[in-house]
Amino acid sequence: MKTYSPTGILAARSGYRVNLVGLVSFFVVLFWALVALFAPYIAPHSVGEMIDLDYFGPMRPGLWLGSDYLGRDMLSRVIFGARYTVGISLAAVSIACFTGVVLGMTSAVLRGPVDMVVSRLLDALNSIPSKLFGLMVVAAVGSSIPVLILTLSVIYIPGAYRFSRALAVNIETMDFIMVARIRGEKLPYLIGSEILPNIIGPVLADLGLRFVFIVLLLSGLSFLGLGVQPPYADWGALVRENIGGLPFAAPAVIVPSLAIATLTISVNLLIDNLPQKIRDRSTS
Amino acid sequence: MTNLVEIRGLTVEATTDSGRWIQILKGIDLDIAAGETVAFIGESGSGKTTAAMTLLGYARPGCRISGGTVKVDGHDMVTLSEKERSALRGTTVAYVPQSAAAAFNPAATIMDQVIEVTRIHGLMPPDEARRRAVALFRALSLPDPDGIGDRYPHQVSGGQLQRLAAAMALIGDPKVVIFDEPTTALDVTTQVEVLRAFKAVTAQRRVACVYVSHDLAVVAQIADRIMVLRNGEVQETGSVHDILTRPTHPYTKELLHAFHPDAGGRTAAPVSDDSAPLLEINTLSAGYGPPQSNGQPLVLAVKGVSLQVKRGTNLGIIGESGCGKSTLARSIAGILPACKGDIQFNGKELWHSARQRSHDQLRDLQIVFQHADTALNPAKSIEDILGRPLTFYHGLRGRARDARVDALLDMVRLPRALRHRRPAELSGGQKQRVNFARALAAEPKLILCDEITSALDTVVAAAIIDLLKELQRELGLSYVFISHDLSVIEAICDEIIVMYRGQTVETIVPAARQQPQHPYSKLLFSSVPKLDPTWLDTLDLDPERMRVA
């Protein structure tokens, strides 16, 4: 029974205990999601259009975030960059967590040889350094968005698998699983209806965390020039192409860095401060 | 003359999830004289442990002592500072927990832990403390009193550990000792020894005792006075004799009544004897661990058990923990495939493993587990829990399913509004009813009940037993009832099998007023506490029977 200081609590009508930090970070995440979704409607210019004669221009009316190394509108580029950073990461994390969690629960229920084979295979995959693996795949088959999504999800499947398997193994020893087994229930029901509802809270938290890792890895790959290809750019690529503006304190290099920071930190804070009832689901 | 303990107008509050404070003890008054034993009795949630803990000046996290005084030997435990309370704990007031196994540190020797109190309070040099401990071990009739202190907690039995916990409490020469359900987790045969040891030591040292329990028969042996608690209020206080013979409060009467479940309530088996048995087991063996060269598992828990259950009759299986009774139930249900023997059910041979059994065979044979807490999925509503077997076995959906869930809730006497709740929002008795209703949903012919009442209070357990009998009359079910509680089994079973070390030692038919013949059954039957306060003192466990145990 934790007690929270009353200042941090907005007592919501729904019976959920909402935390102020959680609320703020939720709005930041929502902001970036909306930006990514409606990018073509809110961006003042197109991605490749050169509108400024100067490069690394400062912030001024009309060019709210300055211009980049080719004199393009930085605001538009950040807005479109959100599409790639949020979109690719979301797709990759969905694939990674769905595959990992389903495999993890299956291994926990079936045990024996299935568990052994799947666990060892994914352990082997886990032992490859993630950035190196990404570099290798992109070097071998070239960089395109589907390749990026698949590579990123393969890198994060073993982690999701280990996490969900560890949770599911604890649930699997409970009597209600035994009851379901001797009722004659099959695997899909066991993992979908008996185990998943009991681990969904931690799994969602893990999903958020993994999303942050993927954003960072994707930005890292783009920074090395292996991610999204020009003229399109995600935030990592924006940092890289404008790195020359660092001595000029150009907003072009600071803004995308800030974008990455706000998104990842907010997602993290949101996970840590989810409305209480949701996070307590596994224990209540 | 002032009393050793004086409690006046004690109230304790607990906070709820939404931060509201509610009273869980509502004004308790009690006096305890030196050397007197007072028992706090009541169902779980009645506040008996909370009341006992206030003697230590302790309230559990989320609780606070909100009013009244608790004077122990002249000190008011409520107003003392935490430091002053610490000085009194162990020397004036001591505590013996319910589960000694959880209270001992597995990484330190028993002696170090027993004399820890004298070290903390600087009472005496370690050598003297050790001598005193050995004397206490001897007084508590522990085996090998000189050497037992050098062992680690896992090297002694549960009953011995419970007595060692008492030694730990007594070493600081306290004036009051609180026993918190110290024998609840023990077998009846072990319980007798532990109770005797407690009674002898506390009488000899003139220690005042507070004995918290829900078992009236145990309390009758050890207490001078009984305080009956319910919902944080004292229902009745009186001497053991008065409470047992002249209870005035309705709840006390209910408690006493629950102790004598009427075996006469069962109607005779409606089906004639010549029909084929519903369940027949021949020389069944089952165990754990990898198979050995002779085809048997490493540890054999059930060794060649044969039994029969006729339609509409009940079979009881009784024995101490570790005798293989639960393993037997699990191998009948197919959870733990038997390694030898055969199971005939409803005229057909059953596969040993549940996986190979047919849909109908699985439906006709249901098992209900002991712990409703773990047997019900905490993430699902009662409706979903009861509805799944209806859909799975009978293909019911939508409105038909809803109607049947309502009917099931009616059957187990639960309000229909509970269907939207989660298991965590129900009481222990309600959960066990849902657990049972799920088995009924399958419309089985036989239900295996594995210790289904042992986690419940006497009054709640008696209500469940009555329910089982009633459902049997209505639905023509058969039960295999596994328990270590003889009174429960006698109340419901037509035939009782006594198990000991994986084998059946005797079959008893209670209706025939048959007395146990085998030495172990005799020991088991005579160890069940009786309400008679002189039972423990007059109990004669003859040496021949003790040797078998």
Side-chain angles (χ1 to χ4, degrees):
Chain A
M1 257 188 270
K2 279 184 221 163
T3 47
Y4 288 90
S5 64
T7 50
I9 299 164
L10 298 175
R13 242 176 274 132
S14 58
Y16 289 93
R17 198 175 290 185
V18 183
N19 191 302
L20 188 64
V21 179
L23 208 62
V24 170
S25 48
F26 170 73
F27 281 119
V28 174
V29 173
L30 187 71
F31 168 74
W32 282 123
L34 291 177
V35 166
L37 209 57
F38 297 108
Y41 305 102
I42 45 177
H45 304 278
S46 86
V47 199
E49 196 183 347
M50 284 174 235
I51 50 163
D52 193 13
L53 294 174
D54 195 11
Y55 60 94
F56 294 134
M59 296 181 185
R60 62 172 189 270
L63 272 174
W64 296 105
L65 294 179
S67 59
D68 75 347
Y69 74 115
L70 291 176
R72 292 175 293 194
D73 176 31
M74 207 53 212
L75 178 64
S76 308
R77 288 191 62 78
V78 168
I79 288 173
F80 276 97
R83 284 207 129 174
Y84 295 104
T85 299
V86 176
I88 293 176
S89 304
L90 206 61
V93 81
S94 306
I95 296 173
C97 284
F98 179 79
T99 319
V101 170
V102 168
L103 280 177
M105 291 192 297
T106 307
S107 287
V109 170
L110 293 180
R111 306 215 161 165
V114 177
D115 182 25
M116 191 76 113
V117 170
V118 177
S119 291
R120 291 301 88 77
L121 274 179
L122 290 175
D123 281 351
L125 194 58
N126 209 9
S127 66
I128 305 170
S130 55
K131 212 152 275 175
L132 213 63
F133 183 77
L135 290 175
M136 206 179 67
V137 172
V138 172
V141 296
S143 181
S144 67
I145 288 175
V147 168
L148 275 177
I149 291 176
L150 277 182
T151 311
L152 290 169
S153 50
V154 166
I155 289 172
Y156 284 102
I157 284 175
Y161 167 82
R162 274 279 153 218
F163 186 76
S164 60
R165 184 183 170 278
L167 290 169
V169 160
N170 286 337
I171 302 292
E172 202 268 339
T173 56
M174 307 284 266
D175 283 344
F176 60 82
I177 301 292
M178 187 60 79
V179 170
R181 277 174 193 265
I182 53 174
R183 197 190 300 142
E185 299 284 4
K186 300 287 183 293
L187 178 72
Y189 177 84
L190 282 178
I191 64 173
S193 294
E194 296 284 349
I195 295 183
L196 187 63
N198 285 292
I199 63 172
I200 191 76
V203 161
L204 283 181
D206 178 65
L207 183 123
L209 208 61
R210 236 160 265 284
F211 174 76
V212 173
F213 291 150
I214 288 181
V215 168
L216 294 177
L217 182 59
L218 175 66
S219 302
L221 284 176
S222 293
F223 185 80
L224 295 173
L226 297 167
V228 182
Q229 298 302 310
Y232 305 102
D234 71 335
W235 293 339
L238 287 179
V239 176
R240 184 186 90 98
E241 59 188 27
N242 293 311
I243 197 82
L246 212 51
F248 313 110
V253 63
I254 300 161
V255 172
S257 314
L258 279 178
I260 295 173
T262 51
L263 179 67
T264 51
I265 293 173
S266 297
V267 170
N268 256 326
L269 287 177
L270 181 61
I271 296 159
D272 287 345
N273 297 287
L274 278 182
Q276 277 246 299
K277 215 166 165 182
I278 292 180
R279 200 165 55 157
D280 281 351
R281 254 170 97 164
S282 61
T283 51
S284 68
Chain B
M1 181 196 131
T2 56
N3 286 301
L4 185 61
V5 175
E6 287 184 4
I7 300 179
R8 291 286 172 272
L10 174 69
T11 55
V12 173
E13 289 180 340
T15 176
T16 63
D17 268 347
S18 58
R20 221 155 34 86
W21 288 93
I22 48 166
Q23 251 184 14
I24 54 171
L25 282 187
K26 301 159 186 162
I28 286 178
D29 302 297
L30 180 72
D31 292 321
I32 305 174
E36 190 185 28
T37 301
V38 177
F40 291 6
I41 195 158
E43 62 197 45
S44 46
S46 62
K48 54 189 193 298
T49 300
T50 310
M53 293 300 238
T54 60
L55 290 176
L56 294 161
Y58 178 80
R60 267 173 284 193
C63 300
R64 64 179 180 205
I65 301 173
S66 53
T69 56
V70 181
K71 279 224 165 71
V72 179
D73 197 22
H75 308 278
D76 185 1
M77 298 303 279
V78 179
T79 52
L80 287 184
S81 72
E82 193 58 33
K83 206 172 163 187
E84 290 166 313
R85 280 182 206 152
S86 298
L88 292 176
R89 290 176 189 156
T91 54
T92 305
V93 195
Y95 176 69
V96 179
Q98 172 169 9
S99 170
F104 273 90
N105 178 351
T109 62
I110 288 166
M111 182 58 87
D112 284 348
Q113 299 184 59
V114 168
I115 65 168
E116 198 182 12
V117 172
T118 63
R119 188 172 57 75
I120 291 170
H121 293 286
L123 295 177
M124 60 189 87
D127 284 338
E128 196 192 329
R130 278 196 200 97
R131 272 196 300 281
R132 282 189 64 125
V134 170
L136 269 171
F137 296 161
R138 196 161 281 134
L140 286 160
S141 50
L142 281 159
D144 183 22
D146 297 302
I148 198 167
D150 299 327
R151 300 199 214 164
Y152 286 89
H154 63 270
Q155 293 171 315
V156 301
S157 74
Q160 289 166 3
L161 212 53
Q162 203 68 55
R163 276 177 277 173
L164 289 165
M168 195 198 279
L170 288 166
I171 194 138
D173 247 341
K175 297 193 169 72
V176 187
V177 178
I178 300 161
F179 291 95
D180 189 2
E181 307 235 14
T183 61
T184 307
L186 303 176
D187 286 315
V188 280
T189 45
T190 324
Q191 175 172 283
V192 171
E193 296 165 35
V194 174
L195 283 179
R196 278 198 167 159
F198 284 174
K199 199 170 180 178
V201 167
T202 52
Q204 180 200 341
R205 288 167 187 257
R206 302 255 323 133
V207 182
C209 295
V210 170
Y211 199 98
V212 179
S213 179
H214 65 262
D215 192 338
L216 203 53
V218 167
V219 159
Q221 309 312 316
I222 205 154
D224 303 311
R225 279 195 298 145
I226 294 179
M227 180 165 93
V228 182
L229 281 157
R230 191 186 203 186
N231 297 333
E233 285 170 283
V234 179
Q235 307 290 324
E236 194 169 357
T237 313
S239 74
V240 170
H241 186 75
D242 285 348
I243 295 272
L244 292 186
T245 53
R246 288 189 301 277
T248 53
H249 199 278
Y251 178 68
T252 320
K253 285 179 185 161
E254 203 184 322
L255 205 62
L256 276 167
H257 178 75
F259 212 81
H260 305 287
D262 33 313
R266 247 187 71 63
T267 47
V271 184
S272 56
D273 273 8
D274 50 69
S275 70
L278 181 62
L279 176 76
E280 188 172 6
I281 290 170
N282 289 312
T283 58
L284 192 80
S285 297
Y288 302 92
Q292 306 296 295
S293 53
N294 59 3
Q296 292 190 341
L298 187 61
V299 182
L300 213 53
V302 176
K303 300 166 193 159
V305 170
S306 303
L307 56 85
Q308 272 194 7
V309 182
K310 296 201 178 73
R311 270 169 222 278
T313 67
N314 301 331
L315 176 75
I317 302 174
I318 193 166
E320 64 195 352
S321 49
C323 73
K325 55 190 193 301
S326 282
T327 309
L328 179 61
R330 279 166 183 262
S331 54
I332 295 173
I335 299 166
L336 180 83
C339 63
K340 234 171 64 193
D342 59 86
I343 308 170
Q344 301 267 345
F345 180 66
N346 205 16
K348 287 213 181 87
E349 173 102 30
L350 278 189
W351 286 98
H352 284 173
S353 165
R355 262 171 215 234
Q356 290 162 294
R357 294 181 187 173
S358 75
H359 204 65
D360 288 340
Q361 286 172 336
L362 290 173
R363 190 194 64 216
D364 286 342
L365 179 70
Q366 292 285 315
I367 182 165
V368 181
F369 288 110
Q370 173 176 9
H371 298 290
D373 294 315
T374 57
L376 302 178
N377 191 335
K380 297 180 120 191
S381 67
I382 303 303
E383 184 177 38
D384 288 343
I385 290 171
L386 294 181
R388 180 60 193 176
L390 295 174
T391 312
F392 187 77
Y393 288 127
H394 306 294
L396 292 183
R397 277 173 218 288
R399 206 166 291 165
R401 189 176 111 148
D402 285 349
R404 186 75 189 133
V405 170
D406 278 342
L408 283 169
L409 287 172
D410 290 347
M411 238 185 250
V412 294
R413 312 276 180 278
L414 285 175
R416 290 182 180 186
L418 287 185
R419 59 187 297 158
H420 300 297
R421 296 226 204 138
R422 298 274 168 97
E425 295 156 13
L426 304 185
S427 73
Q430 287 175 328
K431 272 186 267 196
Q432 199 56 277
R433 279 165 198 258
V434 172
N435 197 7
F436 194 74
R438 177 174 54 188
L440 288 178
E443 294 173 19
K445 293 190 167 67
L446 178 72
I447 301 182
L448 302 170
C449 305
D450 188 359
E451 301 259 16
I452 60 169
T453 58
S454 52
L456 303 173
D457 295 310
T458 332
V459 175
V460 182
I464 297 263
I465 295 295
D466 285 342
L467 176 72
L468 294 193
K469 286 190 206 166
E470 218 175 297
L471 288 170
Q472 176 161 44
R473 272 198 294 276
E474 286 166 23
L475 306 173
L477 297 163
S478 297
Y479 300 125
V480 171
F481 212 92
I482 291 158
S483 181
H484 64 266
D485 188 343
L486 191 64
S487 62
V488 168
I489 283 214
E490 275 183 329
I492 196 164
C493 293
D494 304 288
E495 211 174 31
I496 300 173
I497 284 180
V498 182
M499 272 188 85
Y500 182 62
R501 293 192 181 161
Q503 286 167 321
T504 53
V505 295
E506 197 170 5
T507 308
I508 295 163
V509 182
R513 303 251 160 235
Q514 191 184 344
Q515 290 303 311
Q517 298 303 317
H518 189 276
Y520 175 72
S521 338
K522 282 186 187 170
L523 174 70
L524 191 71
F525 279 54
S526 65
S527 299
V528 177
K530 307 235 169 16
L531 277 180
D532 175 11
T534 59
W535 168 77
L536 185 66
D537 300 325
T538 55
L539 178 65
D540 169 39
L541 296 174
D542 78 56
E544 180 213 2
R545 283 185 238 160
M546 289 302 282
R547 219 177 307 131
V548 181

